[in-house]
Amino acid sequence: VSTQSTGVQSRVPLAAYNLRKKNFNMGCVSSSIVSSESLAIDAQIRQDQKKLIIRLLLLGTGDSGKSTLLRQMKVLHTSGFHTIERQKFAELLKLNTLDAIKTLVRITKLENFRVSKNLEKALKRVEDSETLDLNLAEDIIALWQDKAIQKAWRLKNKYHVPSTAPYCFQHAMRIASPMFIATDDDIFRAKMKTTGIVEAMFEKDGACFNFIDVGGQRTERRKWIHCFENVTSVIYLVALDSFDMRLVEDNITNRMEDALENFKETTTLDYFSRTSWILFLNKSDLFEEKLVRDRGHVALQQLFLSLIHISEPTRQAEISY
């Protein structure tokens, strides 16, 4: 993976120059050896220049899944994540797990939900803890089963509880282990807000795919313009499960409406008049879960009343185009 599409090309000519310089200044260097090395470097430069570079810009509002897509591309088309990277994600997952349970505990206080009396000490330990260990993981698993915490979880949209919280709680003991190394599935579920611009390059069938990921929060969108030039295609991600969620920034604006408005504004920019677009509808599994289990079709009807017709007995969504 390369974060600079031109990094190698900018350094190689200097290497070739240095080799040629040695040929003239160092009598102990064989001119034939230097010449062959120089020619090989020149040939590599020409080969790199012939490679097709496809710039793919990942756009979308916050929590649409852009970074997760980039991680999946890395696993599919490179050697994957190295041990040091997996260790960093392991620490991130520990923080994700602790933050999620603390948020649910805070909701119980705000909504006056009472946890079981035998879990009050566990709740206090969670509130006071700053790091995740095996003992605290046991407390988290016990609290997750409590009715008050489950009621708090049902208010996840109102209080912006990450959708990956159940996964973290299910694997709390493994995540809390001192020997924990994040797997690919763990890495895909690790939550970290993207700030700035992140680039990654993969090679496939002789072509270089340069993925550019930018933060989707409102405060980050002003940075998008710096990535608009020479883009081959834009992949715009929309989280399907966001239809009943609000923006973290103001807790008022519907996330799906914000995504639609942002998509409309971005596609009409002159920068992309000759650029192809790919609309990536993400998180379909969470979308289905909301429709079937959480009666999310009610909120979906309210948002897209003119487009969606719901069959209540089967709860199947039929979209009219």
Side-chain angles (χ1 to χ4, degrees):
V1 178
S2 170
T3 56
Q4 295 289 338
S5 61
T6 58
V8 175
Q9 295 179 14
S10 64
R11 291 194 295 269
V12 170
L14 180 60
Y17 168 78
N18 287 337
L19 284 172
R20 296 188 181 99
K21 188 176 180 181
K22 286 181 182 179
N23 188 30
F24 290 103
N25 296 336
M26 298 178 63
C28 61
V29 180
S30 170
S31 61
S32 61
I33 295 175
V34 173
S35 177
S36 63
E37 290 179 348
S38 178
L39 290 172
I41 292 173
D42 288 343
Q44 183 61 50
I45 294 172
R46 289 192 295 271
Q47 184 65 28
D48 290 341
Q49 289 174 340
K50 290 180 181 178
K51 285 184 178 178
L52 175 64
I53 298 179
I54 301 172
R55 285 171 54 87
L56 299 171
L57 179 60
L58 302 178
L59 294 183
T61 55
D63 203 30
S64 58
K66 299 185 299 298
S67 297
T68 302
L69 177 62
L70 197 60
R71 294 171 193 172
Q72 291 172 330
M73 292 296 103
K74 183 171 182 176
V75 169
L76 289 171
H77 300 296
T78 73
S79 57
F81 293 93
H82 302 300
T83 301
I84 294 177
E85 293 175 301
R86 293 182 183 278
Q87 290 172 341
K88 290 181 178 179
F89 276 110
E91 293 303 313
L92 178 59
L93 282 158
K94 291 178 190 290
L95 291 174
N96 290 166
T97 304
L98 193 54
D99 288 345
I101 194 63
K102 280 177 176 284
T103 300
L104 292 177
V105 168
R106 181 171 60 87
I107 294 172
T108 62
K109 300 292 183 68
L110 293 172
E111 299 288 343
N112 293 318
F113 300 153
R114 297 292 298 273
V115 300
S116 302
K117 193 171 183 62
N118 64 318
L119 290 176
E120 289 179 353
K121 289 184 178 179
L123 186 145
K124 186 67 168 60
R125 285 192 292 268
V126 165
E127 288 182 306
D128 295 340
S129 297
E130 297 298 329
T131 57
L132 180 65
D133 56 28
L134 290 172
N135 291 329
L136 194 66
E138 291 181 352
D139 291 334
I140 290 172
I141 293 171
L143 284 168
W144 176 236
Q145 303 301 321
D146 186 77
K147 291 182 179 179
I149 295 294
Q150 287 295 314
K151 288 175 67 176
W153 169 246
R154 287 194 285 272
L155 298 176
K156 56 185 177 293
N157 292 344
K158 178 180 178 181
Y159 291 99
H160 310 292
V161 185
S163 59
T164 55
Y167 180 88
C168 291
F169 301 153
Q170 181 183 351
H171 298 273
M173 294 297 293
R174 183 171 60 88
I175 293 173
S177 170
M179 306 301 293
F180 172 58
I181 300 293
T183 65
D184 289 342
D185 282 343
D186 295 330
I187 291 172
F188 296 156
R189 290 170 172 82
K191 288 289 186 181
M192 181 173 62
K193 185 175 75 171
T194 301
T195 57
I197 301 169
V198 179
E199 293 191 47
M201 181 172 283
F202 315 117
E203 287 195 23
K204 180 71 173 176
D205 298 331
C208 294
F209 293 85
N210 186 20
F211 285 84
I212 306 163
D213 178 23
V214 290
Q217 287 75 20
R218 283 180 169 178
T219 55
E220 294 291 319
R221 294 177 199 174
R222 62 177 180 271
K223 303 175 185 177
W224 289 8
I225 195 171
H226 301 297
C227 310
F228 286 170
E229 292 185 1
N230 301 318
V231 171
T232 308
S233 184
V234 176
I235 303 177
Y236 193 94
L237 283 83
V238 178
L240 287 174
D241 69 323
S242 65
F243 65 87
D244 62 346
M245 303 167 72
R246 297 177 181 180
L247 290 181
V248 176
E249 293 90 328
D250 62 13
N251 206 31
I252 297 174
T253 308
N254 179 277
R255 289 192 187 186
M256 183 67 77
E257 288 182 340
D258 181 58
L260 287 169
E261 185 63 27
N262 184 259
F263 180 73
K264 178 181 177 181
E265 292 177 359
T266 311
T267 52
T268 56
L269 292 174
D270 291 338
Y271 288 100
F272 301 127
S273 59
R274 296 182 177 272
T275 303
S276 62
W277 282 76
I278 301 170
L279 180 60
F280 194 104
L281 302 179
N282 202 16
K283 303 187 180 183
S284 59
D285 54 337
L286 298 177
F287 174 68
E288 288 184 28
E289 183 180 307
K290 280 188 176 181
L291 287 182
V292 176
R293 195 181 70 182
D294 297 338
R295 294 184 61 82
H297 60 276
V298 176
L300 193 62
Q301 276 183 305
Q302 293 173 350
L303 187 61
F304 298 114
L305 190 59
S306 62
L307 297 178
I308 305 297
H309 302 285
I310 301 297
S311 176
E312 180 60 26
T314 58
R315 296 185 182 179
Q316 296 291 325
E318 298 177 354
I319 304 181
S320 300
Y321 293 94

